[in-house]
Every structure is written in C-alpha cells, then in structure tokens.
C-alpha cells in the first residue's frame, strides 16, 4: 500500500528512521494521553456515581411509586390491579410518617415507613440492607456469632432502625457471643465441630447459655441467670427451645461431638424503644395521655438511598397502622418491573402511564427517574461543569503542540523549500504539519484511553495510595466512606454504551484539537515562498 | 560577448528569454537580472560564475520556476512554463521529473535514511516502484555511498551528503540539473571528486547541467562557461 507522502513525512518527522521516537513526539503524545486520561477518568467516575445512585434509588424505592392524589384514594387497594400486569414483578404497599422514639432521655424523630414483611422483599432487598447494617462486636475472648437479622423477624412489635437512630438513642439489637476455648483449638489440628446460632429472636433475654454434650445425641442446656436447665435429645441439627430463646445449630467437624464437649454463649437482649405518634403527642397536650408503644430493635438497617434522611425506621404495616390509628390506609405502593421494562426508561415511563390509567385518576405512578429528576439533573450539571473545567487541559496540550509544530516549521524552513523544489506542492507540504497534529492526537487518544482503562482497573489500589498519602491511614476510612470510591461501579467501554461514548468523545476531542493545533503551522508552511525558504538563513 | 539564446528550439532542454528580476527594499529597487537569456542543449553543461549576490541563485530559482520573475519567458524543452504563481498541479509535478536540483547545503531530510532521501522525489512524484528502488541502489553505487544507504544524513561527511544529494537530483531521470554551488561546503579535494562525479553522471544520464560556481577550475570543466555581472549573462568560453 502506497502511503501518501505528506502522511509518510509527517510520520517520519515524529518517528525518525533509526530512532524509535523523537523527544518532542514523546512529550506531545504523553501530554495528550494524560489529558485524555484525566478527562475520561473524571467523567467515568461521575458516571459511576450516577450509576450507583441510580441503583441505590431503585433498591430503596423500586422502579416506581404509586402515590395517592387525594385522602379518599388512600383506602383503595390497588395491589391486585397493579400485580395483574405481566410486566409488574413486585408490588408492595407502605405507610410513612414521622414518629418520636425515646430511650431514657434520648429522643429521635426518624422518617418511619411501615412495609409488608411478606411482599416488600419482592420489591426492595431488605435482607441485603440488614446485612449491610449488621456490625460485629469485637471481643477479647469471645466471637460474635449473632446471625444477620432478616425480614422474617419483622413482627408488629419489632422495628429496624438506621445506625444514626441507634447511635442517637444508644440502642442496639440483640447480640450473642460464643466464648472461645483456646485450649481446645490448639489441641486439635483437625476441623472441630461447633455450635452456631441459627436465629436470634428480637425478644431474647440477656442470658448465659451453656451447651454440654452428654453423648453424641444428647445435650444438657443450662442458663445461669434464670436457672433454666434441660436435657435435650437431638433429632436433627437444630436446638430450638421456643420463643424468646436462641435457636442453636450444630455444625459437625471431622468427627462427631463427644461427651464433655461444651459451648458457652453470652446473650444480650435487644433494646426496647418507646414510640409516640404525632396524634399521641397532640392528645398529650390535652392531658389525654396514652401509653407509648414499646418495640424491640430487631436490627440495624442501612438503606442506600432515603433522599436526605439518615434517620430511618422500618416497621410492619400493621405497626404503622396501629400507631397512626389509620387502619387500611396506604400511603403508596412500591413497584418493581421486569428487567425488560426496567432497563429502558422510556418503556418504564410508558408503562407507568398505562398503569396510571388503570388505577383511575386518584393515583399517580411516578417512575424513579421522574421522582429524582432534580438529583440526576444536578449530577449531570456537575458532569458538564467538570467537562467545562477540563477542556482547558486539552487546549493547553493543543497550544503546546501548536507551538512545537510552529517551531518545527521555522526549523525546517529550508526543507520545506526543498520539498517544493523537488516536486511537492505547497498544500501537501502544509499538510505534513497538520497531519503531525493528527498523528499526535490519535496516538495520544489511544494511549490516553489505555491509561484510563488501567486507571479504572486499578482504581482501588490507586485511590487507596492517593487517599493514604493525602489523608493518612486514619483519614482513609472517612474519605472512603464519604466518596465511596470502593463500591463505585465504573464501566469499561465494552461494558456500557455510555462509557464507550465517553471514551470515543474525549478521544475524538483530543484528535480534533491536536489537528486544529497543526493547522496554523500548516498554513504558515503552505504560504512560504520556496525561493525565500531556500534563501533563508 | 553577450550570451544569446539560440532560436532553434528542438535540441534545447532549457531556454530563457529576457529574464528580469528586481527586489524591492523599502522605496528603492535592486535590479538583479536585467535581461538574461540563455539556452542549454540536451546533455550540455554550462557553468555560471559571478560575484556573491549577483543573482546566480535567483536565476536558478527562476529557471526552476520556484520564483516569480518580473519579465521574460522560460521553456522546459519546447514547453513554455507559467510564472511561479500560476503553476498548476501538473506543472508542479513536472518540476519533479524535468528538473533536478542540487544545493550547496545539501538539504537532506535528517529524519530519513540515505535510501529514503534519494527515493523521496519519486515518492513525491507518485512513481515509487521496484524499478525506482533499484535505481536508487545503482545511483548510490555510482556515487560510492551504497554502504551508507541505511544511515541517516547527520552521520555522513559533507562529501557523502553531497553525493547523496546528487543521487536524489537524478532519481527521476531529469532532463536538466540545476546545481547551485554544489562544492561550496567542501574542501578542494572532495569538491573536485564530487564535481567529477557530477559531470560524469550527467553525461551518462544525458542530463543538461547548469552549474553555478565560484571555482574557475570547475567552470572550465563544463562545456560552456558564462559570467553573471551587472544583471547580464556574458559567455566567456
């Protein structure tokens, strides 16, 4: 293939024969590459934040919310109508409001939501929220074996609260520790059998449990504080002593449990909260004092998105109905659609409109992206602002290229004259310099995209290094929590169209700007009088 | 004796009639060429001597149509060439094949190897082919620098560079070679060798040679010699 000679000479001037790369070319290409890398990485991270918020919002609110438009419509049951649609894969009602919580002299007024323990998990991943909120007690000679609470334990007298509420009130859910038998661990090199806690009821009392094997199928269970004592015949792996007591599970080791094997547990009861509704407080003003509702803390829940509510309480629907004294009232429904609809915002919007018509005029069905449009517009604005701030990076690289190429024109003025003397036309000679800008831009764009992919791949390592250098080891946790870089899903270009567009846009921008940077030197070279060029000193 | 143009056109590879060229310096005007006429037969060599700044290089630039004259006509063979500003793509391409240029300062492209430098006019001309590549090797052999084919110009001596420049000027088998003081940067001995090589090759290639030189010895070696003085060309031999 014959390469056009302006392209050939442009390439040779950047990458001379017998030299892998000229110093100018290397600086120019690396300069463009770094600019492209920075632009792509920043925007990729911004998109990662958007994606994270999108996923958090859908997790916390479902794909859409059904909202009553007038008080009478709050008592209508729309669930059967909505669930009948084939694209609706989950529909769960909720009641919300503000409640006053009290523990001794500490109070909190969290955003409180009553959900249906059975259907809510179809729409919102509550068990995952509970797992996120679950923390482990760090004890010296014991091991925290508290099982992660699940939605199964959400009874009418149990609530899940956010960590902020728990800290404000000084409360915690039930916990259980297993004392470590150091001697036993050292004695046996093989995997030993153990007893774990399969379920910890929110209504368990503080207690010290002892499980002693009397034989392979019989255990003696004792509780020191209440003097509870029972010989339990093992029929399976579980030891279920009934309501208010932990459910233990036997985990076999390399050999069966033997007589004398003993396990000690220390159980701590869940805190109790006093809950007041606004109507109860109103009554109290007129001296009609009604006793507060007492509920147990069933678990700590970490919901990724509650608008700006950091203090949140989740209870059962019945609990909220009771405390608000509004039976059969629904404040709305969480909806979840099939992946086919959920993945396409336009489809989702149309489906919401269709369902809205079915539900009559009393209800509105708001997709997640409409309800939170302000927030995403804000994020988009930030993204555009970042682009605007970063454009000068590209322009600085372009100016550097333009200056270097202009210097090159002056340095090669006699060669320009010669090229015309041996049969080159002035336009093609000018093109050499324009193409140099194009080549630098293209190589810089490719290298910059490569750097960006590496940065995205090793972002955790790099961010840890940078954050540790700036904030130190102590500050690292805080920075990570605030910016949440580590859980950020940043897409590679082959994984998402948006990411591909980001890569292509900035690569095209770099190529365009670099080529334009070569235009002025090219114009200068093309305008040179060959005789003057040959005559120049 | 005033240098006169021969009116018979067929046997000439280059002719110029009444060329005039002046340069403006502010309000004043310096007339470099008053009325220069010359003709160069096929395979003939002509030397032009003259003081520095007398217009020798300007005359060569006019003949190569790199510069715009004030008046006069130029013929490459039988074809009248347009003024430098009016040249079309065809005429520019024709320059690459009809005229070969050699300069005192060689003007080799430092980023290209010797081989790549020599074949460059063919590349510009769009006639890059295996025959041309073979011709490059032959020319380099003739010039005695075939061992340097893969070297870059900065690693060559002055004499070697000028030999490469001669090979480059000859690659497209031009009818006319315009050589502007080709030995100006070389010592006496090397200059002599290069000049012998240039004259010999032009003769072999049947190319006409217009040589601008300060060296009377080299001027004598050409078929005819002329002096450019006061803007006029006078034949001395």
């Amino acid at each position: 293939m014959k390469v056009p000679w302006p392209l050939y000479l442009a390439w040779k001037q950047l990458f001379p024969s017998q030299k892998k790369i000229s110093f100018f070319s290397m600086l120019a290409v690396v300069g463009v590459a770094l600019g492209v890398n920075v632009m792509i990485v920043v925007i990729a991270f911004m998109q990662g934040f958007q994606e994270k918020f999108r996923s958090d919002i859908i997790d916390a609110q479902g794909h859409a919310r059904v909202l009553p438009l007038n008080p009478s419509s709050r008592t209508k049951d729309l669930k059967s109508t909505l669930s009948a649609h084939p694209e609706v894969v989950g529909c769960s009602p909720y009641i919300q409001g503000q409640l006053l919580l009290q523990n001794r002299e500490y109070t909190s007024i969290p955003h409180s939501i009553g959900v249906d323990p059975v259907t809510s998990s179809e729409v919102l991943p509550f068990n995952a929220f509970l797992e996120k909120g679950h923390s482990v007690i760090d004890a010296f000679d014991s091991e925290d074996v508290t099982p992660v609470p699940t939605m199964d334990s959400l009874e009418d007298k149990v609530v899940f609260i956010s960590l902020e509420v728990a800290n404000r009130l000084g409360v915690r859910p039930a916990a259980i520790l297993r004392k470590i038998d150091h001697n036993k661990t050292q004695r046996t090199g093989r995997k030993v059998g153990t007893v774990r806690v399969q379920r910890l009821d929110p209504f368990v009392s503080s207690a010290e449990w002892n499980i002693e094997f009397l034989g392979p199928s019989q255990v003696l269970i004792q509780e020191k504080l209440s003097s509870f004592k029972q010989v339990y015949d093992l029929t399976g792996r579980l030891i279920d002593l009934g309501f208010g007591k932990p459910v233990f599970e036997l985990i076999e080791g390399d050999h069966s449990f033997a007589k004398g094997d003993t396990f000690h547990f220390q159980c701590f009861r869940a805190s109790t909260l006093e809950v007041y509704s606004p109507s109860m407080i109103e009554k109290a003003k007129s001296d009609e004092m009604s006793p507060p509702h007492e509920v147990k803390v069933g678990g700590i829940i970490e919901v990724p998105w509650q608008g700006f509510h950091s203090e949140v309480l989740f209870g059962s629907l019945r609990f909220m109905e009771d405390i608000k004294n509004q039976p059969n009232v629904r404040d709305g429904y969480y909806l979840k659609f099939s992946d086919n609809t959920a993945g396409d915002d336009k489809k989702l919007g149309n489906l919401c409109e269709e369902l809205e018509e079915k539900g009559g005029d009393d209800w509105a069905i708001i997709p997640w992206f409409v309800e939170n449009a302000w927030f995403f517009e804000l994020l988009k604005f930030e993204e555009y602002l970042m682009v605007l701030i970063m454009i000068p990076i590209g322009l600085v690289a372009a100016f550097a290229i333009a200056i270097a190429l202009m210097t090159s024109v002056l340095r090669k003025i006699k060669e320009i004259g010669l090229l015309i003397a041996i049969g080159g036309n002035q336009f093609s000679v000018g093109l050499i310099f324009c193409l140099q800008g194009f080549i630098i831009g293209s190589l810089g764009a490719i290298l910059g995209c490569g750097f960006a992919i590496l940065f995205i791949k090793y972002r955790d390592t790099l961010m840890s290094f940078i954050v540790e250098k700036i904030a130190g080891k102590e500050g690292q946790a805080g920075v990570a929590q605030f910016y949440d870089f580590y859980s950020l899903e940043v897409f590679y270009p082959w994984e998402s169209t948006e990411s591909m567009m980001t890569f292509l846009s900035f690569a095209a921008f770099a190529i365009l700007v670099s080529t334009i940077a070569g235009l002025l030197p090219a114009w200068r070279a093309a305008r040179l009088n060959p005789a003057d060029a040959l005559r120049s000193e | 004796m005033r240098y006169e143009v021969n009116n018979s056109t067929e046997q000439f590879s280059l002719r110029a009639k009444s060329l005039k060229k002046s340069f403006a310096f502010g309000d004043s005007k310096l007339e470099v060429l008053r009325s220069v006429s010359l003709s160069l037969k096929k395979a003939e060599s002509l030397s032009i001597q003259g003081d520095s700044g007398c217009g020798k290089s300007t005359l060569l630039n006019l003949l190569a149509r790199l510069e715009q004259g004030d008046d006069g006509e130029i013929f490459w063979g039988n074809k009248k060439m347009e003024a430098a500003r009016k040249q079309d793509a065809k005429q520019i391409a024709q320059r690459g094949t009809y005229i070969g240029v050699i300069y005192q300062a060689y003007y080799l492209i430092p980023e290209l190897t010797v081989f790549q430098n020599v074949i460059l006019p063919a590349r510009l001309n769009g006639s890059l082919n295996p025959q041309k590549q073979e011709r490059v090797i032959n020319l380099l052999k003739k010039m005695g620098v075939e061992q340097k084919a893969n070297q870059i110009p900065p690693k060559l001596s002055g004499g070697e560079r000028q030999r490469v420049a001669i090979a480059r000027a000859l690659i497209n088998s031009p009818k006319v070679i315009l050589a502007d003081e080709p030995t100006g940067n070389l010592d006496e001995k090397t200059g002599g060798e290069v000049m012998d090589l240039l004259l010999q090759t032009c003769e072999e290639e049947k190319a006409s040679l217009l040589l601008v030189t300060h060296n009377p010895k080299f001027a004598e070696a050409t078929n005819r010699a002329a002096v450019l003085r006061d803007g006029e060309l006078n034949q001395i031999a």
Side-chain angles (χ1 to χ4, degrees), chain A residues 414 416-426 528-535, chain B residues 21 57-69 74 76 81-85 87 91-92 95-96 99-103 107 178 180:
Chain A
K414 284 179 189 287
I416 291 168
L418 174 93
L419 287 171
I420 296 167
I422 62 174
N425 65 58
Q426 282 164 303
L528 276 175
N529 180 322
D532 289 343
L534 287 166
R535 212 180 278 131
Chain B
K21 177 69 184 172
S57 298
T58 302
L59 176 61
L60 255 56
N61 284 339
L62 286 175
L63 293 172
R65 300 320 267 149
L66 292 172
E67 193 154 25
Q68 171 87 8
I74 291 167
W76 290 357
M81 302 310 288
E82 292 296 328
R85 277 184 204 158
Q87 291 173 51
Q91 195 171 323
I92 291 165
R95 176 164 55 231
I99 304 274
V101 287
I102 303 167
Y103 295 99
Y107 301 150
L178 301 177
D180 190 358

Side-chain angles (χ1 to χ4, degrees), chain A residues 304-318:
Chain A
W305 174 262
Q306 278 300 324
F308 288 113
H309 301 292
S310 58
E311 295 191 21
V312 187
L313 174 146
F314 281 92
S316 70
L317 264 183
R318 262 208 310 262

Side-chain angles (χ1 to χ4, degrees), chain A residues 14 23-41 390-402 404-405 436-452 503 505-518:
Chain A
L14 294 172
F23 185 65
F24 154 69
S25 311
M26 191 179 71
L27 279 189
V29 170
V30 170
V32 173
L34 289 177
V36 169
N37 171 49
V38 168
M39 289 192 278
I40 289 176
V41 165
M390 286 183 303
I391 279 177
I393 297 174
L395 294 179
V396 166
F399 286 141
I401 293 167
L405 289 177
Q436 285 188 47
F438 174 78
I439 292 170
I440 289 168
S442 302
L443 294 178
I446 293 166
L447 197 63
C449 289
F451 283 164
F503 272 73
S505 305
F506 285 115
F509 172 73
I511 295 170
L512 183 74
V513 164
S514 304
T515 309
I516 290 172

Side-chain angles (χ1 to χ4, degrees), chain A residues 66-278:
Chain A
V66 183
L67 303 172
L69 295 175
N70 56 59
S72 65
S73 58
R74 293 173 66 202
T75 52
K76 286 183 186 173
D77 185 11
L78 274 185
K79 187 173 177 347
S80 51
T81 317
L82 294 165
S83 300
H85 196 284
E87 288 297 307
V88 176
V89 295
C91 176
S92 184
Y94 67 87
I95 304 170
Q96 62 184 5
Q98 300 293 125
L99 298 177
L100 171 67
L101 308 183
Q102 189 170 16
N103 177 43
R104 296 193 302 273
E105 67 271 30
Y106 305 112
T107 56
S108 167
I109 307 175
H111 179 69
S112 306
I113 301 169
V115 293
D116 179 5
V118 180
T119 60
S120 60
S121 294
E122 293 171 8
V123 185
L124 311 177
F126 272 108
N127 287 339
F129 299 163
L130 284 164
E131 198 172 339
K132 265 191 163 180
H134 182 70
S135 59
V136 176
I137 297 169
D138 192 14
F140 168 66
D141 60 348
S142 310
E143 182 188 359
D144 188 343
V145 289
T146 312
V148 177
T150 63
M151 279 301 274
D152 297 339
S153 52
L154 186 65
E155 296 173 30
D156 296 346
K157 293 284 183 187
V158 176
V159 293
F160 298 139
I161 52 175
S162 64
L163 187 64
E164 283 77 4
V165 177
N167 288 342
R168 185 179 288 272
L169 297 173
V171 294
R172 55 167 172 72
I176 189 161
L177 305 178
R178 183 177 56 213
K179 289 183 181 171
I180 297 169
D181 183 347
H182 294 287
N183 294 331
K184 193 174 182 179
T185 311
Q186 284 168 6
R187 199 171 55 230
T188 57
R190 288 185 291 174
K191 189 185 167 196
V192 292
T194 188
V195 176
R196 74 176 186 103
V197 179
Q198 201 254 353
R199 186 167 176 271
L200 192 64
D201 202 290
F203 297 96
V204 289
S205 311
S206 293
E208 286 182 32
W209 294 94
N210 248 17
I211 299 176
E212 186 186 345
F213 278 82
L214 303 173
S217 59
Q218 202 174 49
V219 288
L220 172 65
I221 302 168
Q222 295 181 81
E223 200 286 299
K224 282 185 187 169
L225 301 178
S226 62
S227 306
F228 173 93
K229 196 171 184 179
Q230 185 184 332
V231 175
Y232 194 93
D233 290 321
L234 297 167
T235 52
R237 288 169 59 192
L238 295 183
I239 303 173
D240 191 348
L241 301 168
F243 179 76
K245 296 183 178 66
V247 176
F248 296 102
E249 185 183 9
L250 308 180
I251 308 291
E252 292 280 349
D254 289 339
H255 45 81
S256 306
F257 292 104
K259 187 182 175 187
D261 284 352
T262 309
F263 298 88
H264 306 281
F265 293 89
Q266 178 90 45
C267 183
F268 302 93
R269 67 177 174 82
S271 303
T272 305
L273 288 173
E274 291 179 348
V275 186
Y276 299 87
S277 71

Side-chain angles (χ1 to χ4, degrees), chain A residues 448-461:
Chain A
C449 289
F451 283 164
I453 288 169
L454 283 176
F455 198 102
I456 291 170
K457 187 172 169 60
Y458 298 106
R459 63 185 182 278
D460 284 351
T461 316

